Amino acid sequence: LALYFHIGEREEKCIIEDLPSDTLVVGNYKVQRWDIHIHDFLESAPGLGMFVTVSSPTGEVLLSKLYGPQGTFSFTSYLSGEHIICFQSNSTRFAVIAGSKLRIHLDIRVGEHFLDESVIQTKDKVNEVSIRLEHLIEQIHHVTKEQDYEREREEKFRKTSEETNSNILWWAIVQTLILISVGIWQIKSLRDFFISKKLV
């Protein structure tokens, strides 16, 4: 996931990542500050830091740390579900003049274990193949975990759909019974009315 978004200074912006359990997440970000003189974003925002907070689906804080104008953060999901990743600048300027826009470039990689090429280059060919094979096996495990999580979500969605369909069916039956009851009551009321007026 690679994207960028705009926030005001001291404003908090959150994104939601739906993750399987026991998954490594690595995020890289870079902050740019809007320059009112050149009417463009500066290449960087020196002196400005970012608070990065990550919460699990249960609300437990997995990460809460102050980084610089660009940095890398990582965490491991312990539960499957929606994890909330929030960013807020540590600007000390007053809110009145803190209307300056910030652009945050964000790159989030999920479940990737990266190979250290320098380590690989110092090893012989057999070890290089071995390391690359281990990396490949880790990626296969991650794909399997992702598929299991998607299967679990699909099953949950199917159960919810079946329950909803069942509720709709029962509601339709109840409505039909009510309409039949009202119809019978109206026919009986009209019959009693005509009998009392001696029209029948």
Side-chain angles (χ1 to χ4, degrees):
L1 171 68
L3 56 92
Y4 76 83
F5 53 88
H6 295 147
I7 62 172
E9 293 189 33
R10 303 298 296 167
E11 180 188 352
E12 186 177 54
K13 190 85 160 188
C14 298
I15 62 169
I16 296 172
E17 274 290 315
D18 202 353
L19 304 168
S21 60
D22 298 319
T23 302
L24 175 67
V25 178
V26 178
N28 291 300
Y29 74 88
K30 182 174 92 170
V31 182
Q32 295 176 299
R33 181 181 266 151
W34 176 259
D35 190 301
I36 55 172
H37 303 296
I38 62 170
H39 297 287
D40 199 3
F41 286 96
L42 299 171
E43 189 52 37
S44 65
L48 192 66
M50 292 299 291
F51 286 107
V52 180
T53 309
V54 179
S55 302
S56 71
T58 58
E60 179 190 353
V61 176
L62 301 177
L63 174 71
S64 181
K65 192 173 175 183
L66 175 63
Y67 294 88
Q70 85 179 66
T72 300
F73 62 90
S74 63
F75 66 93
T76 301
S77 61
Y78 297 105
L79 295 170
S80 58
E82 294 182 342
H83 289 68
I84 300 171
I85 305 169
C86 296
F87 299 87
Q88 185 179 29
S89 73
N90 69 337
S91 173
T92 54
R93 301 200 292 173
F94 293 113
V96 178
I97 59 170
S100 175
K101 274 192 299 184
L102 301 174
R103 176 182 283 172
I104 299 177
H105 296 266
L106 179 63
D107 179 23
I108 293 180
R109 291 169 289 184
V110 177
E112 294 184 28
H113 295 270
F114 307 104
L115 287 171
D116 188 344
E117 293 296 333
S118 62
V119 172
I120 291 171
Q121 287 169 3
T122 60
K123 304 285 185 184
D124 59 22
K125 285 292 177 188
V126 174
N127 283 345
E128 180 183 342
V129 170
S130 173
I131 290 169
R132 289 193 184 275
L133 188 61
E134 284 176 17
H135 179 70
L136 192 59
I137 290 168
E138 279 184 12
Q139 287 182 321
I140 290 168
H141 284 314
H142 174 67
V143 169
T144 306
K145 202 184 299 178
E146 281 276 355
Q147 287 176 332
D148 289 342
Y149 179 55
E150 289 303 323
R151 198 176 296 114
E152 184 184 310
R153 287 181 62 200
E154 190 179 327
E155 191 177 323
K156 213 179 282 183
F157 178 74
R158 187 174 48 77
K159 281 181 183 172
T160 305
S161 298
E162 286 173 359
E163 285 172 11
T164 304
N165 287 339
S166 174
N167 290 341
I168 289 170
L169 175 66
W170 281 111
W171 176 240
I173 291 169
V174 168
Q175 277 185 318
T176 305
L177 291 173
I178 290 171
L179 286 172
I180 291 170
S181 303
V182 168
I184 292 170
W185 176 77
Q186 283 182 330
I187 290 169
K188 186 179 180 307
S189 297
L190 280 171
R191 189 170 157 271
D192 291 346
F193 173 76
F194 287 138
I195 289 172
S196 66
K197 295 292 182 185
K198 297 181 181 177
L199 296 173
V200 177

